[in-house]
Amino acid sequence: MSNSSTFLLNLTMLVHTLGLTHVRNRSALFASRCSAAVRWPSAAAAPGNIRNVTTTYAQCAKARATPRKKELSEKNLSRYFVDYRNVKLRAGSGGKGACTFHSEPRKEWGGPDGGDGGDGGNIVIKVDRAVKSLAQIAPVYSGESGQPGGRKNCYGRNGQPTFLYVPLGTAVKEQGKIAADLSDHGQEFVAVFGGAGGKGNRFFLSNENRAPKAATPGTPGQERALQLELRTMAHAGLVGFPNAGKSSLLRAISNARPAVAAYPFTTLNPHVGMVEYRDHEQVAVADIPGIIRGAHLNRGLGISFLKHIERCRFLLFVLDLSAPEPWTQLRHLRYELEQYERGLSERPHAIVANKMDLPEARAQLETLRSRVAPQRIIPVSALTGHNTEELILHLRELYDGDIQGVTQDKHR
């Protein structure tokens, strides 16, 4: 029997043995292709050598589709930026001391040689400018405990410190009082201290007690419940009522991708996007969840929304010009901000007239300008991207003015 016939017979028996009846047609097609592609060696070559056999036939290969990147949902996007965390910290405990006595040939009474235990590891909160959110902070942290002491006066190893990396401008609070204000890159705050290691019996050696049998255990580490809060969430905050188009506007001017839809709904969590300029300067813009009338009375989630606004250096009031009398939106927004914190509405700001792609919005633009004169109004359309360049340039003017004001305050 020839080699090709043996190959086909073995392939058919393998298919029947595995019970792959649904592959018979493909195996027959594959065998016929292989038999056509095989080039047998010459008579002078050693028998049984097979060359140029291919198994990459297109009909036998598994179909591969180009993977598509799915759009993230509002639930998944909400965890991208977190500006408040409750954490429980437990530092490492100290290792216990050893109670041992030295003994070796011709030195029977060597005396105590138990070493001390290692200290527990601290938990340190450290500022890193590369971190932009508190989303990676876990609710509970436990430090590394120290190792127990050993014989021959061997001390236990100390526990390594545990670091929590937080963004710039993080305030550490305990029961409502500020424990630390972290505003510089690399700044560290030791939140909880590890326990001290226990003493071995070598420590208790004295002239009165030549063979101490006492050794102390390590002390437990500190425990503490803290609140981490971002004081400065972003440079600019988009402030407006629900469905004013703040999320669409953030998508139009920055790299953020908050969820938007063709039906009315409101953002439940803040999103932060970065607006990049040609000189590589970056301005952070936050999409603040839409506040409602009576937010200063904590209607809905008003207080938490207003806290987000409090952490922005300047504001962008986003008005829906398709609504009747949009100038009343600005008056109500300022009222809510003033009731929450006096002077909050007077921060550097700009008025953004959104939804200019709608006919009713164009009709109300001139009336709005006459109502709020001499304040500047920037008409835009987040849907079509119309006039977003003017908003981006004005945003840079507000940013440069804020940086100049901070510099002057430092020199004073």
Side-chain angles (χ1 to χ4, degrees), residues 14-59:
L14 178 62
V15 170
H16 283 288
T17 304
L18 298 178
L20 303 177
T21 57
H22 62 283
V23 202
R24 289 179 180 177
N25 295 334
R26 286 192 175 184
S27 62
L29 179 61
F30 174 74
S32 62
R33 294 286 180 177
C34 287
S35 60
V38 169
R39 297 179 183 177
W40 302 107
S42 60
N49 291 337
I50 301 178
R51 301 176 183 174
N52 302 328
V53 178
T54 178
T55 59
T56 58
Y57 183 58
Q59 295 186 9

Side-chain angles (χ1 to χ4, degrees), residues 74 77 246-249 251 257-263 265:
E74 174 75 10
L77 282 167
K246 300 183 297 298
S247 298
S248 301
L249 185 61
R251 292 172 67 102
R257 290 297 176 264
V260 296
Y263 52 86
F265 78 100

